[in-house]
């Protein structure tokens, strides 16, 4: 049975989807972008700040499902400029250790919602 996950500590969905869906012990999150849930503004001054906001939003959704980054088994990163990869990877990597790093792909795309530069979704399991 699936359970919809919602927290006001992450941005509300901007379309017909849930922040995450829990099926058994597996959590599937929707892509998070750099919307500050406190005020609804976009955080896009630098790619590092944008990535940090995205990761904090992912963290909030994980926490709402009583999980954390140790539970993440797969991450998908969409970026609009592969030249930002090293900077994004630096921030993203600070949320994991070598012992808990998930499988991942990073894909450059033409555009993302609200013209942001990065979107991340994860799959986590208890």
């Amino acid at each position: 049975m699936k359970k919809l996950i919602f927290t006001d500590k992450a941005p509300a969905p901007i379309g017909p989807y849930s922040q995450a869906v829990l099926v058994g012990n597996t959590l599937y999150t929707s892509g998070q972008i750099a919307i500050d849930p406190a005020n609804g503004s976009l955080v896009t001054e630098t790619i590092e700040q944008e990535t940090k906001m995205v990761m904090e939003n992912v963290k909030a959704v994980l926490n709402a499902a009583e999980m954390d980054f140790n539970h993440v088994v797969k991450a998908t990163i969409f970026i609009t400029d592969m030249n930002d990869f090293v900077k994004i990877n630096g921030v993203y990597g600070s949320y994991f250790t070598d012992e808990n790093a998930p499988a991942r792909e990073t894909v450059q795309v033409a555009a993302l919602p609200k013209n942001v530069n990065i979107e991340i979704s994860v799959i986590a399991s208890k």
Side-chain angles (χ1 to χ4, degrees):
M1 178 171 278
K2 75 179 185 179
K3 175 183 177 186
L4 303 182
I5 302 297
F6 177 80
T7 178
D8 60 4
K9 293 180 172 79
I14 56 175
Y17 60 88
S18 299
Q19 288 172 325
V21 176
L22 183 65
V23 180
N25 291 325
T26 304
L27 182 73
Y28 303 89
T29 73
S30 292
Q32 291 295 313
I33 61 175
I35 296 175
D36 185 337
N39 58 27
S41 66
L42 285 172
V43 177
T44 57
E45 291 77 27
T46 68
I47 194 63
E48 293 92 346
Q49 290 173 322
E50 187 172 354
T51 303
K52 181 172 175 45
M53 185 80 261
V54 170
M55 292 301 287
E56 289 298 312
N57 289 338
V58 170
K59 179 180 174 181
V61 174
L62 288 167
N63 290 168
E66 300 178 352
M67 294 187 190
D68 59 35
F69 286 107
N70 289 311
H71 295 98
V72 175
V73 296
K74 180 78 162 56
T76 301
I77 303 175
F78 299 99
I79 59 178
T80 57
D81 187 349
M82 197 57 77
N83 292 315
D84 289 331
F85 180 82
V86 172
K87 293 177 183 176
I88 290 167
N89 207 44
V91 175
Y92 169 91
S94 70
Y95 287 82
F96 299 98
T97 65
D98 289 343
E99 292 77 32
N100 76 348
R104 179 185 92 183
E105 66 266 328
T106 303
V107 180
Q108 181 172 317
V109 296
L112 290 166
K114 297 193 174 278
N115 294 313
V116 297
N117 302 297
I118 181 170
E119 180 174 357
I120 299 176
S121 65
V122 301
I123 300 171
S125 182
K126 285 187 180 181

